[in-house]
Amino acid sequence: MRMLAAAGVLLMIAGCSDGGKPKPTPTPTPVPSPPPKIVLKPYPFEKGTASISGRVVLKEEYKPMSAIDMTSNEYCAKCYEEPLKFETIITGEGGTLKNAVVYVSKGLEEFTFKPPQEPVVMTHKGCMLKPHVITVMVGQKVLFKNLDETLHNINAVGYFGAPMPKPDNVERVFEEPGMQHFKCDAHAWESAKCMVLDHPFSAVTDIEGKYEIKGLVPDTYTLSFWHETEDKFAAPDQTITLKDGEQRTDVNADFTKK
């Protein structure tokens, strides 16, 4: 019996040892290397000799803007012989679109930019906020002015609010990129838009739909187009490759229904 038991133990040991062969060492799963860190550098403005310009057009019909009723404020109503119209959509001959924002949305990620010392000015004048659309850099001052002989305020919706007695100035700085909506709580018709960017390469179209962006270094960029009717109309992004000193004057955009 003892011999049989010993033989059983030897068989178990032989089975467990897999014939005496060493087990292969498992191959470790390779760990992916982290993406290379982008080292930001100041933008070389001295090498920015290229530019982009063109025309923006609204290719769709739209409901005419209605007249603004200012009769709730005697001062405002006396500012105009004929009622003004809302400025949501303003077009020129052939549908050229005013107040569209054209800006570089890709191609500047490796650079840093210092905000300009000069502020962008937004004015209460004739009980309207002017200009209707502005662009500003992160960290750049926005100077709000009240040039009217009536009480206004400036309300950057969801960001800050400030009363503006007659006359008065208020300065504010935006610390993050994004779209800001300004309004005056004293006069419901007063509104304006502000696109905050982390670089200076943007423009707002005039009544002829024209814009120009200067000072670009040779590279490939994505150009984007925005208008406050973005829920209805849009224009596609465009990829533009610029050579040193190139002046591209044909970068046009059409806003159509979404």
Side-chain angles (χ1 to χ4, degrees):
M1 290 293 291
R2 290 179 180 178
M3 293 178 65
L4 290 172
V9 171
L10 289 172
L11 287 171
M12 291 177 63
I13 294 173
C16 291
S17 64
D18 196 20
K21 296 180 180 179
K23 292 183 178 180
T25 304
T27 303
T29 302
V31 178
S33 301
K37 186 177 180 181
I38 298 176
V39 179
L40 300 180
K41 54 189 177 182
Y43 186 82
F45 283 98
E46 70 281 1
K47 297 180 179 179
T49 58
S51 68
I52 303 171
S53 61
R55 190 185 303 268
V56 177
V57 175
L58 177 60
K59 288 289 188 177
E60 306 287 351
E61 294 183 357
Y62 63 92
K63 184 179 179 181
M65 298 293 99
S66 56
I68 300 173
D69 182 5
M70 297 186 181
T71 55
S72 60
N73 184 295
E74 183 179 0
Y75 174 87
C76 297
K78 288 182 177 179
C79 289
Y80 305 97
E81 294 183 2
E82 297 291 334
L84 295 184
K85 292 184 177 180
F86 285 97
E87 298 180 317
T88 307
I89 301 178
I90 300 176
T91 56
E93 186 177 352
T96 55
L97 185 60
K98 185 179 180 179
N99 290 331
V101 177
V102 186
Y103 64 100
V104 175
S105 57
K106 290 181 183 178
L108 298 168
E109 293 79 6
E110 63 181 297
F111 298 113
T112 60
F113 300 89
K114 290 183 178 180
Q117 293 295 314
E118 185 178 353
V120 176
V121 179
M122 174 71 67
T123 303
H124 286 286
K125 185 176 182 181
C127 296
M128 296 288 286
L129 278 169
K130 299 287 185 180
H132 185 63
V133 176
I134 61 173
T135 63
V136 64
M137 270 191 67
V138 170
Q140 184 179 10
K141 292 179 181 179
V142 181
L143 176 61
F144 299 94
K145 292 185 175 183
N146 179 8
L147 302 182
D148 288 333
E149 292 297 322
T150 190
L151 175 68
H152 289 293
N153 83 331
I154 190 67
N155 181 352
V157 180
Y159 203 90
F160 67 81
M164 299 189 70
K166 45 180 185 181
D168 193 25
N169 294 339
V170 172
E171 276 190 346
R172 289 292 186 272
V173 171
F174 294 98
E175 301 294 346
E176 297 290 338
M179 181 59 65
Q180 297 293 333
H181 173 54
F182 302 147
K183 66 177 185 176
C184 173
D185 296 313
H187 311 110
W189 61 83
E190 285 193 73
S191 69
K193 301 289 186 180
C194 173
M195 181 175 284
V196 185
L197 297 163
D198 54 10
H199 63 76
F201 298 108
S202 65
V204 179
T205 57
D206 61 17
I207 189 61
E208 295 181 344
K210 293 181 180 180
Y211 74 91
E212 184 176 23
I213 298 174
K214 298 179 179 180
L216 292 164
V217 298
D219 208 334
T220 297
Y221 302 96
T222 298
L223 202 64
S224 295
F225 305 84
W226 176 92
H227 189 263
E228 66 179 292
T229 58
E230 58 183 334
D231 58 327
K232 298 178 180 179
F233 308 119
D237 292 348
Q238 298 186 37
T239 301
I240 310 295
T241 298
L242 294 173
K243 299 176 182 178
D244 186 26
E246 185 175 8
Q247 314 296 309
R248 285 286 303 272
T249 60
D250 58 346
V251 186
N252 304 319
D254 293 340
F255 275 79
T256 57
K257 288 183 179 179
K258 298 182 73 172

